Amino acid sequence: MVGDSHRHLHYNSLTGTIPSQLGQLTALSHVYLNYNSLTGTIPSQLGQLTALTFLDLHPNSLTGTIPSQLGQLTALTTLYLHFNSLTGTIPSQLGQLTALTTLYLHFNSLTGTIPSQLGQLTALSHVYLYSNSLTGTIPSQLGQLTALSHVHFVSNSLTGTIPSQLGQLTALNTL
């Protein structure tokens, strides 16, 4: 369809890798590749899709790290990377996604700490990081996210105290 900036390829039996050439489709605003059997890594070229507002790559069998280039998607409101086999750390560059309202990274094999830069995502309402292997403390900067309503950090290896700054989250519904 001419002028269509959405690509609905979800609920198919797609296999193989996500082509890096997808990053050349710069008018795309929504990418739905969820509920397939895709493998390989997330192409860093997706960071060129600056009009993208919705990226859904769950559940697939994607491996490797979350490309830091996704931090260039400043129009992105929804990032669904959950139910994959992603490894490595959560890139601090995701803290540049100031329009982001929903961040789902649960059920992966992510390690390292929760980046304090996520505290810059003032539009964020849902953050699901559960069932990973995250360590360290909960960043006190998350207390600045006044739109935050759902926080799920269950089944990680977080330590330390719950930051008192989380008491400022008056919209919080689930912790």
Side-chain angles (χ1 to χ4, degrees):
M1 177 183 285
V2 175
D4 186 10
S5 63
H6 294 66
R7 288 295 166 246
H8 299 274
L9 296 173
H10 56 286
Y11 290 101
N12 282 290
S13 297
L14 298 176
T15 60
T17 60
I18 300 171
S20 61
Q21 292 84 351
L22 193 63
Q24 297 171 7
L25 305 176
T26 55
L28 283 178
S29 65
H30 292 71
V31 172
Y32 298 92
L33 291 172
N34 51 313
Y35 291 99
N36 282 292
S37 297
L38 298 171
T39 58
T41 61
I42 300 171
S44 61
Q45 291 84 351
L46 294 185
Q48 299 169 12
L49 301 176
T50 55
L52 202 62
T53 61
F54 196 99
L55 178 59
D56 191 347
L57 302 178
H58 93 282
N60 281 290
S61 296
L62 299 172
T63 57
T65 60
I66 300 171
S68 61
Q69 290 85 350
L70 295 186
Q72 299 168 5
L73 303 176
T74 55
L76 200 65
T77 61
T78 304
L79 181 58
Y80 289 156
L81 301 179
H82 53 296
F83 285 103
N84 279 291
S85 296
L86 299 172
T87 57
T89 60
I90 300 171
S92 61
Q93 290 85 349
L94 294 187
Q96 299 167 14
L97 303 177
T98 55
L100 200 66
T101 61
T102 306
L103 177 62
Y104 285 5
L105 301 178
H106 52 286
F107 281 106
N108 279 293
S109 296
L110 298 172
T111 57
T113 60
I114 300 170
S116 62
Q117 291 85 348
L118 295 185
Q120 300 169 25
L121 304 179
T122 55
L124 198 61
S125 63
H126 292 75
V127 59
Y128 289 17
L129 303 179
Y130 63 89
S131 295
N132 279 292
S133 295
L134 298 172
T135 57
T137 60
I138 299 171
S140 61
Q141 291 86 345
L142 296 184
Q144 301 169 32
L145 305 181
T146 55
L148 207 53
S149 63
H150 292 81
V151 176
H152 294 269
F153 294 158
V154 134
S155 294
N156 281 291
S157 295
L158 299 174
T159 58
T161 60
I162 298 172
S164 61
Q165 291 85 346
L166 295 187
Q168 300 168 10
L169 302 178
T170 56
L172 200 59
N173 184 321
T174 305
L175 175 61

